[in-house]
Amino acid sequence: MTCKAELMRQLTSPSGKQEKQQYLHFRWQHLRAPWHQPQGSELDNLEEISHHFMITDKDNHIIAVARLHQVNQTLGQVRYVAVSPAYQGQGLGRQIMVACEQKAGELGLHKIELNARENALAFYLSQGYTNQGKSHVLYDEIQHYKMEKVLAEPVLTSAVQQLVKTWYATIPMSKAMGIRVLSATKDKLMTSCDLAFNKNLHDTMFAGSINTLATLTGWGWVNLQLEQQGLSGDIVLGKGSIKYLAPIPAHAYAVVDQTNIEENYQNVAKNKKAKVHIVCQVYSGDILAAEFTGTYVVIPKKGEE
């Protein structure tokens, strides 16, 4: 019965205007309305640059929510965690917190902090958070406690570490930008850079930095694939274009996902050129801010022909 019930639920992020409105209404309904706060009080100025999570039931009704905000390059903050009373005690709180922590890990964050209501202390303690003491009192009656959890640092392979060294040694701009690998799996590569260095006069991320981050992320994907397959060659960008879709006022990350790639390295093994078509997406929170499309050419090294 439990397994069947779990299959009827879905953990995702709200998308589309109507779903986002339902998500925010749930948040207000469970975290603000009981204390006679008006709609809108469930919002703050970090919504657009945060990561939002929700769990829905078999009828697509929202039954749990949470939000993760990246404070800096190593720290994340979870806020607005709520589970419908009808579904409490069924593991949804744990499930949505795991989602927040997994996303934090993908972003290369080392620690999560949150402010827990007094009646939720036991839950967060059971999830590995430590109580740092009282923080604030909400609406003059709800005592909160500051809690934090140190996350396991991502393990980057020697190939990934070498990739970053190659960037820094051969492309000085990459080091100045503070480009780093957040996570690397067989299906996905995620990178980021130092926002403070890459801001423009509007206090948002410089378009040139966005383009450079995306271009190098695509280059890095090809580099890692060649390394994994025991191949080598010079990687050059044959053609590239980028669409800027939204400003980036906070920390950004670039993603290359295998589902958005056309690649075949057999020619390299035959000492011939190979083309790789890649789409790299740059996000700020849950917002897709830019999309880079590039064709990379792998040229076998002359000494191996």
Side-chain angles (χ1 to χ4, degrees), residues 232-235 267-274 297-305:
S232 64
D234 293 319
I235 307 166
N267 278 351
V268 181
K270 300 175 183 177
N271 291 322
K272 297 180 180 180
K273 294 180 181 179
V297 181
V298 182
I299 305 171
K301 295 182 179 179
K302 292 182 179 181
E304 299 178 358
E305 293 181 352

Side-chain angles (χ1 to χ4, degrees), residues 26-292:
F26 181 94
R27 209 160 78 179
W28 169 77
Q29 185 180 31
H30 294 278
L31 297 175
R32 295 294 182 263
W35 289 270
H36 311 292
Q37 300 302 307
Q39 284 191 276
S41 60
E42 76 283 3
L43 297 166
D44 61 35
N45 62 354
L46 301 174
E47 302 297 340
E48 293 297 318
I49 57 175
S50 296
H51 304 272
H52 303 269
F53 302 92
M54 66 182 191
I55 299 175
T56 55
D57 65 12
K58 63 181 179 63
D59 298 315
N60 208 34
H61 295 141
I62 298 174
I63 55 178
V65 299
R67 191 191 79 179
L68 171 70
H69 165 238
Q70 184 173 350
V71 178
N72 55 43
Q73 287 192 314
T74 61
L75 176 65
Q77 184 183 54
V78 171
R79 295 192 65 188
Y80 304 116
V81 180
V83 176
S84 171
Y87 288 86
Q88 289 179 4
Q90 298 183 28
L92 298 185
R94 181 193 63 79
Q95 184 180 355
I96 208 160
M97 287 302 298
V98 167
C100 290
E101 292 169 15
Q102 288 178 341
K103 173 57 72 173
E106 284 187 347
L107 296 172
L109 305 182
H110 301 164
K111 184 168 67 174
I112 288 180
E113 66 177 16
L114 57 84
N115 290 304
R117 299 185 180 197
E118 193 163 24
N119 62 0
L121 274 176
F123 166 73
Y124 289 110
L125 289 171
S126 72
Q127 301 306 305
Y129 288 79
T130 58
N131 188 349
Q132 304 298 306
K134 293 182 178 180
S135 58
H136 66 281
V137 179
L138 184 64
Y139 307 135
D140 297 323
E141 63 174 293
I142 311 174
Q143 178 66 59
H144 282 68
Y145 292 80
K146 183 178 180 180
M147 308 196 78
E148 63 181 39
K149 181 177 182 177
V150 177
L151 305 177
E153 293 191 28
V155 178
L156 300 180
T157 65
S158 58
V160 173
Q161 295 177 35
Q162 183 57 50
L163 168 63
V164 177
K165 290 179 181 178
T166 300
W167 279 340
Y168 288 2
T170 61
I171 308 172
M173 183 185 295
S174 65
K175 186 173 183 178
M177 288 176 60
I179 293 180
R180 63 192 182 114
V181 173
L182 300 177
S183 59
T185 67
K186 64 182 181 65
D187 300 318
K188 185 185 296 185
L189 174 65
M190 294 179 61
T191 66
S192 185
C193 62
D194 180 8
L195 179 67
F197 178 83
N198 295 285
K199 282 188 175 182
N200 58 26
L201 72 167
H202 305 294
D203 208 32
T204 58
M205 192 170 176
F206 176 55
S209 294
I210 298 173
N211 191 24
T212 301
L213 177 64
T215 301
L216 288 181
T217 303
W219 190 97
W221 172 270
V222 179
N223 175 276
L224 292 174
Q225 296 307 303
L226 291 174
E227 174 72 22
Q228 181 179 339
Q229 297 182 38
L231 302 172
S232 64
D234 293 319
I235 307 166
V236 297
L237 179 64
K239 180 173 62 176
S241 63
I242 189 167
K243 295 179 182 178
Y244 299 100
L245 306 173
I248 299 178
H251 300 279
Y253 61 99
V255 180
V256 168
D257 191 299
Q258 195 170 42
T259 57
N260 292 325
I261 299 174
E262 295 179 20
E263 56 188 339
N264 188 332
Y265 301 101
Q266 291 181 359
N267 278 351
V268 181
K270 300 175 183 177
N271 291 322
K272 297 180 180 180
K273 294 180 181 179
K275 290 185 178 180
V276 183
H277 304 284
I278 287 179
V279 174
C280 179
Q281 297 175 317
V282 182
Y283 290 85
S284 180
D286 283 338
I287 304 299
L288 177 60
E291 187 167 87
F292 170 84

